[in-house]
Amino acid sequence: MEQQLPPELVARQPKTLGEAGAHATLEPSAAAAQIKPGQHNLDYLAHMEALIAQGDGLTSMLALLPCTESYHLVAKQLGTRVARFQGWIDYYRGPEYQAMTEWCWQVVDHLTTQRAITQSELAGYLRAYEYELLFWEKPMH
């Protein structure tokens, strides 16, 4: 995808500390690693992988953007209300992750100056957001 982006946009890609550290702050038990992903999560991964496998930068960004953006939006909404999750919340609502989310949108904006989003890409993006919402809602039911 970098070959489709101007060097100044590539150079502005924010550096993050890595999501593994944010997830480690949740202190999952050993039993958590044994939980099998739900079918909706497997379907979501397959959906993203199929879109990314097409090899197009815009298609790939649209496939991944709902995940990237939703983590930031959820953490922003939680604020400081859930002390147990504070490390996770701080990472995803922090300025570095916000900068990454905004940069992803800038990439999409740039790529759409080269060509329009197709109906298929729009459908893929909307389906990815549906899966992302299921990801957040399913554990709560």
Side-chain angles (χ1 to χ4, degrees), residues 5-137:
L5 300 178
E8 61 274 8
L9 185 55
V10 173
R12 286 196 320 258
Q13 180 179 1
K15 305 297 183 239
T16 62
L17 300 175
E19 296 180 66
H23 292 281
T25 66
L26 298 175
E27 300 177 359
S29 69
Q34 304 304 315
I35 298 172
K36 292 183 180 181
Q39 188 59 48
H40 62 287
N41 290 331
L42 296 173
D43 292 343
Y44 184 19
L45 289 172
H47 174 74
M48 287 190 291
E49 289 169 354
L51 293 174
I52 293 166
Q54 294 177 20
D56 180 79
L58 181 56
T59 303
S60 297
M61 288 300 293
L62 291 171
L64 296 170
L65 194 53
C67 182
T68 304
E69 184 175 59
S70 75
Y71 271 66
H72 175 67
L73 294 174
V74 167
K76 238 173 107 171
Q77 186 64 31
L78 288 173
T80 58
R81 293 183 283 169
V82 188
R84 178 174 177 231
F85 304 134
Q86 201 58 52
W88 184 94
I89 292 167
D90 289 346
Y91 176 82
Y92 285 107
R93 76 175 184 160
E96 294 87 7
Y97 196 81
Q98 180 177 349
M100 178 60 77
T101 302
E102 290 170 358
W103 182 83
C104 289
W105 273 110
Q106 290 168 5
V107 169
V108 169
D109 288 345
H110 173 77
L111 293 174
T112 57
T113 65
Q114 297 175 359
R115 67 171 180 80
I117 296 174
T118 67
Q119 286 297 321
S120 175
E121 288 169 328
L122 180 59
Y125 169 76
L126 293 174
R127 184 65 182 135
Y129 241 116
E130 289 172 358
Y131 278 126
E132 187 64 22
L133 290 173
L134 274 175
F135 169 79
W136 290 106
E137 292 174 351

